[in-house]
Amino acid sequence: MSDTKEKILLKALLYFTENDYEGASLNNIAKSIGITKGGIYHYFQSKDELFHDCLVYMLDGLERISMEMVKPDSTLEEFVYGLFSFDELFAVLAAMFQIDLLNDYFNFLYLMSVGIKKFPDLKIRVAGIYQAIGNETEDILRAFKSRGNIKDDLDCTILSLQLSSMIEGAMLIAGLNKSVEIKTAGTEMAESILKMIKK
Amino acid sequence: MSDTKEKILLKALLYFTENDYEGASLNNIAKSIGITKGGIYHYFQSKDELFHDCLVYMLDGLERISMEMVKPDSTLEEFVYGLFSFDELFAVLAAMFQIDLLNDYFNFLYLMSVGIKKFPDLKIRVAGIYQAIGNETEDILRAFKSRGNIKDDLDCTILSLQLSSMIEGAMLIAGLNKSVEIKTAGTEMAESILKMIKK
Amino acid sequence: MSDTKEKILLKALLYFTENDYEGASLNNIAKSIGITKGGIYHYFQSKDELFHDCLVYMLDGLERISMEMVKPDSTLEEFVYGLFSFDELFAVLAAMFQIDLLNDYFNFLYLMSVGIKKFPDLKIRVAGIYQAIGNETEDILRAFKSRGNIKDDLDCTILSLQLSSMIEGAMLIAGLNKSVEIKTAGTEMAESILKMIKK
Amino acid sequence: MSDTKEKILLKALLYFTENDYEGASLNNIAKSIGITKGGIYHYFQSKDELFHDCLVYMLDGLERISMEMVKPDSTLEEFVYGLFSFDELFAVLAAMFQIDLLNDYFNFLYLMSVGIKKFPDLKIRVAGIYQAIGNETEDILRAFKSRGNIKDDLDCTILSLQLSSMIEGAMLIAGLNKSVEIKTAGTEMAESILKMIKK
DNA sequence: CATGAATGAGCCTTCATTCAT
DNA sequence: GATGAATGAAGGCTCATTCAT
C-alpha cells in the first residue's frame, strides 16, 4: 500500500473517530496530512469508500489483537486477569491506530455501528469477529471447567457472553463516567469474577 | 413547557438519535413537525441549544426510569431478574421517547458521548446518574448480603460495577451482533449471575 | 410567480442558452441577478429542476408564438410570407426571453435536445408542439388547395413538413453561415415557394 | 498521424458529441481508450486544442462527404433523390466517425456551433463549406435549368438555399420529433420538390 | 511515450442562521 | 408566534492541468 494512502487511512480514522462520519471533513483530513482534498480522491473514489476502507483497516487490526488477548493461559487466573487488562489493550490500540480509545471508546464503537448500517459486508465481518472471540472464550472456559477449575453448574456459553459484555460495558462506562478508573476497575473485576466462578 | 416546544424536542431527539448531531438538519426536524426552520429559533437560540436541551430532556427521563428499575425487591432473584429484563427497559424507553432503542442503543449512547464533549454540565450530570445508580445498586446488594443472600467474600462495590457493565455491554453487543437475542440473553445472564453470587 | 423566481428563470435561460447545461453555473446565474447561489435553492430544488422549469417556461412562450404565426390569412401569399418573416419571429422571442436567437438559434435548439434527453415529459411536449404546428399548417394549406390556390398534385402533408424543415433549416444555417442574411433570405424563399406551389 | 493520436481524436469526438464540450472529461476519454489522462497531453496541449482538432478532423470528413453527395447526376430526378437520401448520409457518417448521428444530429451541429464561437478559424471554415456546397448545388441546378429541366421563373440561388435548409431542417426535426421517420420523409420530400420545380 | 501522483479552482448542494414581515 | 426570503460558509466531488519519473 502506498505511503500516502496509509497516511490518509490513519488520519481519516482519527478524524472519523473524533468527529464521526458527518463531522469529519475531507478538507480537514487532507490538510492535516499536508495534501489537498483532491489528492484523497486519487486513492479513494468517495468519502464513503474512504470510510469503509478505514473501518476494514481498523477491523483487521482489532481482530488480530482480540484473538491474541483470548489465548489459553496456563491458569484460569492468568486467563481472566488477561481479559481484563484494559490498559494493555488500549496501549496496543493506541500504538496501532494512534487513537486514544480510553476517552473515545464510544466513538470507536459508534463508528462501527454507523459503518455496519452503511455497509452490509461489515455487518457480517463484525458479527463474525464477535462470534469467533465468543467461541474461543467459550472453548477455553470449557477446558478449564473440564479440568475442574470452574464450578460445575455454570454454563460456559453464558459465561462467555457475560465476560464479553462486562468488558465492553466497563470500557464504555469508563469513557462516560470519568470517576471510574479503568485500570484498577479491571483488576478488581477480574478478582471478583474469579471468586464467583472458581470451584 | 409549550406544546410546540415539546414537539420539537421529541422530534429533534429522534432525528439526533437516528442521524447524530451533524446528520440531523433543522430543516428535516422542522418539516417533520410541520413548522418552518425559522420557527425553531423561537424556542431555541441555536442548534447547539436545541441539542443540549434534547439531551437534558432525555436524561431526565432516563434517570427516572433507571432509578425505578433499581428498586429493592423482596428477593435477590427478583432484583437480579429485574435488572436484566432488557425488553421491559426498551419498552419503557420506546414509549417515552418514541425511539426504538433496541436497534439504536448505540446512537443513543453516542449522542450522550457527543453531548458530554460539547457541554460540561452534561458530563457532571451523566457521571452523577451513573454514580447514583451504582450507589443504589450497591446499597441494595449490601442489604441482601447482610441478610445472608450473597456470598461473604464478594465486594458489593465491585459487584455493582460488574452488573452495570454487564448490562450496558449486553445491550451494546446485541446492537452490533444481531445473532444475540437480547431478551433470552438477559434471562440467562441473570440466572447465571445468581448461581455465581448466591450463598 | 415571485418576482425573484421569474428573474432567476429568465437569467438562467440566457445562461443555459449561451453556455449549455454544464457550462452554465449557478454561481454566475445568481451573481448576475444579485442574489447568492443558495438563494436559487429557495425556489428550485436542484439545477436540474431549474433547467427543466426554464425549458417549460420557454416552451410555453414558444408554443403561443408559433401558433400565432401559423394562423390562416386571407391569401396564400400573406400566409407564406408570414411563415418566413424570421425577423419578426426573432424580435418577438428576443422581447420574450431577452435572448438574441438570431445568433444562438443553435444553442436554443440544442438546449431543447438536451432537455428532451433528460426529461421525458419534455419529449412528449415538444413532439406535441411540432405535431400541432404541422397539423395546423396542413389544414391551412388544404383549405387553400380546396379553394384552388395550390397545385392539385401537391400533397399538403408533405408540403407542411417541407415548409417546417425549410424554416428550421434556414434559421439554423443563418446562425452558422453569417454570409446568409436571414431577413432577405426569408422573403426570397417565400417568394420562390409561392412560385412553386401556386396554381 | 500517430495511431494513438487518431484513436484519441475519434474517441474524443464521440464523447464531445454525446456529452458536449463541458460534459466530456479527459478522464473518460482517456479511460475509454486505455491510456491515462496525462497521455493525452502528449498529443494535445490542452482540452481546447483537442476539441479544436476534433472539429477540424470532423470537418475534413464532412466536407468530403458533402461534396460527394452534391455531384452532378445524369437526371434531375437522380440529383434530387440523391440529396434527400438521408439514410445513406447517416450511414457514411456513422462509418466515418463511429457516431450515430440519426439520434445525435443535434449534438453534432451544436458541437460545431460551440466550436465556431471558440475558434475563429472554424467559423471561416464552416462558412466556406456551406458556401462551396451552396455554389456547387447552384451550378448543378443552373445546368439543369439551361437544359430546360427546371421552371424558368425559379432563381437557382434561392432554390439552392431552400434545398440546403430543407435538408438541415428535416434532419433536425427528425431528431427532435421521433414520429417523423427520416428515410420515408426524405423520399417523399424529394418527390414533392420535383413536382414543384420540374418544367 | 506514458504513468501516476498531486494541485487548485470550480461546481452543486446543504445548512445554520438572520431578519423583515 | 411563525413564515419565508436570503445569506455565507462549508462540504463532497470533478476536472483540467502539471510534473517527476
Side-chain angles (χ1 to χ4, degrees):
Chain A
M1 175 159 36
S2 139
D3 194 48
T4 308
K5 185 168 184 178
E6 187 145 20
K7 257 202 283 187
I8 295 174
L9 275 176
L10 226 44
K11 200 56 114 180
L13 190 51
L14 179 61
Y15 272 79
F16 281 134
T17 307
E18 284 180 348
N19 311 295
D20 84 62
Y21 182 73
E22 311 271 354
S25 88
L26 296 186
N27 232 332
N28 291 339
I29 295 172
K31 230 173 261 172
S32 80
I33 56 178
I35 61 169
T36 49
K37 207 170 26 171
I40 293 181
Y41 281 85
H42 192 66
Y43 297 97
F44 305 93
Q45 290 199 325
S46 64
K47 192 186 181 186
D48 249 47
E49 188 182 306
L50 172 60
F51 184 46
H52 177 271
D53 289 4
C54 271
L55 295 183
V56 168
Y57 181 79
M58 184 163 76
L59 281 176
D60 285 347
L62 246 161
E63 189 170 16
R64 235 174 313 131
I65 299 175
S66 309
M67 292 312 280
E68 262 168 38
M69 294 207 66
V70 191
K71 279 276 169 55
D73 290 277
S74 42
T75 69
L76 180 60
E77 275 81 2
E78 268 178 42
F79 175 67
V80 173
Y81 276 112
L83 283 181
F84 283 80
S85 53
F86 299 137
D87 51 338
E88 273 179 36
L89 175 59
F90 284 128
V92 175
L93 288 172
M96 211 162 198
F97 302 125
Q98 303 169 10
I99 303 180
D100 170 25
L101 282 183
L102 178 50
N103 285 311
D104 286 326
Y105 192 63
F106 245 156
N107 308 23
F108 183 86
L109 288 178
Y110 178 67
L111 216 56
M112 290 308 326
S113 141
V114 172
I116 283 173
K117 280 184 191 160
K118 267 184 134 74
F119 312 109
D121 62 319
L122 290 188
K123 190 172 185 164
I124 298 170
R125 180 84 195 275
V126 168
I129 295 181
Y130 269 105
Q131 206 84 295
I133 297 176
N135 289 343
E136 182 67 15
T137 310
E138 207 178 318
D139 288 349
I140 295 172
L141 289 173
R142 220 184 303 278
F144 280 120
K145 191 175 174 185
S146 72
R147 274 186 265 147
N149 297 125
I150 292 180
K151 287 184 193 154
D152 294 328
D153 61 344
L154 292 180
D155 179 327
C156 287
T157 310
I158 303 294
L159 195 50
S160 161
L161 181 59
Q162 284 179 294
L163 291 178
S164 306
S165 299
M166 228 185 291
I167 290 166
E168 292 281 19
M171 299 202 297
L172 198 146
I173 286 176
L176 276 182
N177 180 4
K178 294 303 161 53
S179 73
V180 172
E181 213 278 303
I182 193 74
K183 186 174 173 180
T184 55
T187 315
E188 290 174 341
M189 285 169 86
E191 196 179 347
S192 177
I193 285 165
L194 284 169
K195 286 185 196 159
M196 295 196 262
I197 66 174
K198 259 174 66 179
K199 206 172 190 171
Chain B
M1 176 160 33
S2 136
D3 194 49
T4 308
K5 185 166 184 178
E6 187 145 19
K7 254 202 286 188
I8 296 175
L9 276 176
L10 222 46
K11 203 54 122 180
L13 189 52
L14 179 61
Y15 272 80
F16 281 133
T17 307
E18 284 180 347
N19 311 296
D20 82 61
Y21 183 72
E22 309 274 351
S25 84
L26 294 187
N27 231 331
N28 290 340
I29 296 171
K31 221 173 273 172
S32 79
I33 55 180
I35 62 168
T36 49
K37 211 167 26 171
I40 293 182
Y41 279 85
H42 251 271
Y43 298 98
F44 307 93
Q45 289 201 328
S46 66
K47 190 187 180 186
D48 250 46
E49 188 181 307
L50 171 60
F51 183 49
H52 176 271
D53 290 4
C54 272
L55 294 182
V56 168
Y57 180 81
M58 182 163 76
L59 281 176
D60 286 347
L62 247 163
E63 189 170 16
R64 235 175 311 132
I65 298 175
S66 311
M67 294 312 281
E68 259 168 40
M69 292 208 65
V70 192
K71 279 277 169 54
D73 290 277
S74 41
T75 68
L76 179 60
E77 275 82 0
E78 269 177 40
F79 176 67
V80 172
Y81 277 112
L83 283 181
F84 283 80
S85 53
F86 299 137
D87 50 338
E88 272 178 37
L89 176 58
F90 283 128
V92 176
L93 288 172
M96 209 160 198
F97 302 126
Q98 303 169 8
I99 304 179
D100 169 25
L101 282 183
L102 177 49
N103 284 312
D104 286 326
Y105 190 63
F106 250 152
N107 307 22
F108 184 85
L109 287 178
Y110 178 67
L111 218 56
M112 290 311 322
S113 144
V114 171
I116 283 172
K117 280 185 191 159
K118 265 184 137 75
F119 313 109
D121 63 318
L122 289 187
K123 190 171 185 166
I124 299 169
R125 178 86 196 274
V126 168
I129 295 180
Y130 269 105
Q131 206 82 297
I133 297 175
N135 288 344
E136 181 68 16
T137 310
E138 207 178 317
D139 289 349
I140 295 171
L141 290 173
R142 220 183 302 278
F144 280 120
K145 190 175 175 186
S146 72
R147 274 186 265 148
N149 297 123
I150 293 180
K151 287 184 194 154
D152 293 328
D153 61 344
L154 292 178
D155 179 328
C156 289
T157 310
I158 303 295
L159 195 51
S160 159
L161 181 59
Q162 285 179 292
L163 291 178
S164 307
S165 299
M166 229 185 290
I167 290 166
E168 292 281 20
M171 300 202 295
L172 199 146
I173 287 177
L176 275 184
N177 180 3
K178 293 300 161 55
S179 74
V180 172
E181 214 278 303
I182 192 74
K183 188 174 173 181
T184 55
T187 315
E188 290 173 342
M189 286 169 86
E191 196 179 344
S192 177
I193 285 166
L194 284 169
K195 285 183 198 160
M196 294 196 266
I197 66 174
K198 260 174 67 179
K199 204 171 190 173
Chain C
M1 175 161 33
S2 139
D3 194 48
T4 307
K5 186 168 184 178
E6 188 144 21
K7 258 201 284 187
I8 296 174
L9 276 176
L10 226 44
K11 201 56 116 181
L13 190 50
L14 178 62
Y15 273 80
F16 281 134
T17 306
E18 284 180 349
N19 311 296
D20 85 60
Y21 182 74
E22 311 271 353
S25 88
L26 295 186
N27 232 330
N28 291 339
I29 295 172
K31 230 174 261 172
S32 80
I33 55 178
I35 61 170
T36 48
K37 210 168 23 173
I40 293 181
Y41 281 85
H42 192 66
Y43 297 97
F44 305 93
Q45 290 198 326
S46 64
K47 191 187 181 185
D48 249 47
E49 187 181 307
L50 172 60
F51 183 47
H52 176 271
D53 289 4
C54 272
L55 295 182
V56 167
Y57 180 79
M58 184 162 76
L59 282 176
D60 285 347
L62 249 167
E63 190 171 16
R64 237 175 310 130
I65 298 175
S66 310
M67 294 312 282
E68 261 168 38
M69 293 206 64
V70 192
K71 278 276 167 56
D73 289 278
S74 40
T75 67
L76 179 60
E77 276 80 3
E78 269 177 42
F79 176 66
V80 173
Y81 277 112
L83 284 181
F84 282 80
S85 52
F86 299 138
D87 50 338
E88 271 179 37
L89 176 60
F90 283 128
V92 175
L93 288 171
M96 210 160 197
F97 302 127
Q98 304 171 6
I99 304 179
D100 171 25
L101 283 184
L102 177 51
N103 284 311
D104 285 327
Y105 192 64
F106 245 157
N107 308 25
F108 183 86
L109 288 177
Y110 177 67
L111 216 58
M112 290 308 327
S113 141
V114 172
I116 282 173
K117 279 184 194 160
K118 269 185 133 75
F119 312 109
D121 63 319
L122 290 189
K123 191 172 184 163
I124 298 168
R125 180 84 196 273
V126 168
I129 294 180
Y130 269 104
Q131 207 82 297
I133 296 175
N135 289 344
E136 182 66 15
T137 309
E138 208 178 317
D139 289 348
I140 295 171
L141 290 173
R142 220 184 300 280
F144 280 119
K145 191 176 174 186
S146 72
R147 273 187 264 147
N149 297 126
I150 292 179
K151 288 187 194 150
D152 292 329
D153 61 342
L154 293 178
D155 181 326
C156 290
T157 309
I158 304 294
L159 195 51
S160 159
L161 182 58
Q162 284 178 292
L163 291 177
S164 306
S165 298
M166 229 185 289
I167 290 166
E168 292 281 19
M171 300 202 296
L172 197 147
I173 287 177
L176 276 182
N177 178 4
K178 293 302 159 57
S179 73
V180 172
E181 212 276 304
I182 192 76
K183 189 176 172 181
T184 54
T187 314
E188 291 173 341
M189 286 169 87
E191 198 179 342
S192 177
I193 285 166
L194 284 169
K195 287 183 197 160
M196 294 195 264
I197 65 174
K198 258 173 69 180
K199 208 174 190 172
Chain D
M1 177 162 29
S2 135
D3 194 49
T4 309
K5 186 168 184 178
E6 186 146 18
K7 253 203 286 186
I8 296 175
L9 276 176
L10 222 47
K11 204 54 125 179
L13 188 52
L14 178 62
Y15 272 80
F16 281 133
T17 307
E18 283 180 348
N19 311 297
D20 84 60
Y21 183 73
E22 308 276 351
S25 84
L26 295 186
N27 231 332
N28 290 339
I29 295 171
K31 222 173 274 173
S32 79
I33 55 179
I35 61 168
T36 48
K37 213 168 21 172
I40 293 182
Y41 280 84
H42 250 270
Y43 298 97
F44 305 93
Q45 290 200 328
S46 65
K47 191 189 180 186
D48 250 46
E49 188 182 306
L50 171 60
F51 183 47
H52 176 271
D53 290 5
C54 272
L55 295 182
V56 168
Y57 180 80
M58 183 163 75
L59 281 176
D60 285 348
L62 242 150
E63 190 170 15
R64 236 175 311 133
I65 298 175
S66 311
M67 294 312 283
E68 261 168 39
M69 294 207 65
V70 192
K71 277 276 169 55
D73 289 279
S74 42
T75 68
L76 179 60
E77 273 82 2
E78 269 177 43
F79 175 66
V80 173
Y81 277 112
L83 284 180
F84 283 80
S85 54
F86 299 137
D87 49 339
E88 272 179 37
L89 176 60
F90 284 128
V92 175
L93 288 171
M96 209 160 198
F97 302 128
Q98 303 171 8
I99 304 179
D100 170 24
L101 282 184
L102 176 52
N103 285 311
D104 285 328
Y105 190 63
F106 250 151
N107 307 20
F108 184 85
L109 288 178
Y110 178 67
L111 218 57
M112 290 309 324
S113 144
V114 172
I116 283 173
K117 279 186 192 158
K118 267 183 135 76
F119 314 109
D121 64 317
L122 290 188
K123 191 172 183 166
I124 298 169
R125 178 85 197 273
V126 168
I129 296 180
Y130 269 104
Q131 207 82 296
I133 297 175
N135 289 343
E136 181 68 15
T137 310
E138 209 179 315
D139 289 347
I140 294 171
L141 290 173
R142 220 183 301 279
F144 280 119
K145 192 176 172 186
S146 70
R147 273 187 264 149
N149 297 126
I150 293 180
K151 287 185 195 154
D152 294 327
D153 61 344
L154 291 179
D155 181 327
C156 289
T157 311
I158 303 296
L159 194 52
S160 160
L161 182 59
Q162 283 178 294
L163 291 178
S164 307
S165 299
M166 229 185 287
I167 291 166
E168 292 282 21
M171 299 202 297
L172 199 147
I173 287 177
L176 274 183
N177 179 4
K178 294 301 161 57
S179 73
V180 173
E181 213 276 302
I182 193 74
K183 188 175 172 180
T184 56
T187 314
E188 290 172 343
M189 284 168 88
E191 196 180 344
S192 177
I193 284 166
L194 284 169
K195 285 184 198 161
M196 294 194 266
I197 67 175
K198 258 174 68 181
K199 208 175 188 172

